C-alpha cells in the first residue's frame, strides 16, 4: 500500500491489477500513467475531476515483466510520482 495522504495505490506489489483511490486536489482534467523504469508508458487513464471528490481507478497490468514501475498522477497544477512494484 502506498499512501501519499490524498492518493493510494494497492496492492503493492501488484500482479493482476493496480487499484488507485484518490481525493482530487482540484477540478479539471487528470490522468494516471504507469511507466517502466526507462520511462516507457505502459498504461494510461484520463478523466475529469471535481475538487474534493474521491475517485477509484483500476489499471490492468501491462505486458511488461515484473519489476519496479512508476505511477504518475497529473492534473493541471501538479504531478505526483509513486514507485510501485509489479510481480
Amino acid at each position: 500500500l502506498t499512501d501519499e495522504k490524498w492518493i493510494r495505490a494497492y496492492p503493492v506489489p501488484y500482479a493482476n491489477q493496480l487499484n488507485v483511490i484518490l481525493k482530487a486536489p482540484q477540478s479539471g482534467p487528470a490522468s494516471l500513467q504507469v511507466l517502466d523504469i526507462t520511462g516507457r508508458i505502459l498504461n494510461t487513464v484520463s478523466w475529469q475531476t471535481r475538487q474534493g471528490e474521491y475517485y477509484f481507478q483500476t489499471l490492468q497490468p501491462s505486458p511488461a515483466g515484473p519489476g519496479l514501475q512508476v505511477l504518475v498522477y497529473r492534473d493541471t497544477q501538479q504531478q505526483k510520482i509513486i514507485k510501485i512494484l509489479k510481480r
Side-chain angles (χ1 to χ4, degrees):
L1 176 71
T2 62
D3 184 356
E4 301 294 331
K5 297 186 183 176
W6 56 273
I7 185 169
R8 292 181 184 203
Y10 64 92
V12 176
Y14 80 100
N16 297 327
Q17 64 186 27
L18 179 68
N19 301 303
V20 180
I21 187 167
L22 63 94
K23 183 177 181 182
Q26 62 261 336
S27 298
S31 68
L32 287 169
Q33 288 187 317
V34 176
L35 303 121
D36 67 13
I37 58 172
T38 67
R40 182 174 58 121
I41 298 170
L42 304 174
N43 200 332
T44 301
V45 62
S46 300
W47 74 102
Q48 291 290 318
T49 62
R50 289 169 64 188
Q51 184 176 14
E53 289 192 4
Y54 287 89
Y55 294 89
F56 180 83
Q57 297 287 345
T58 299
L59 302 169
Q60 299 303 316
S62 69
L68 182 64
Q69 296 179 345
V70 178
L71 175 67
V72 180
Y73 169 84
R74 286 188 184 95
D75 62 30
T76 57
Q77 297 182 11
Q78 66 181 323
Q79 173 176 292
K80 183 68 181 174
I81 298 171
I82 302 170
K83 294 177 191 174
I84 55 175
L85 188 63
K86 182 180 177 196
R87 59 179 159 153

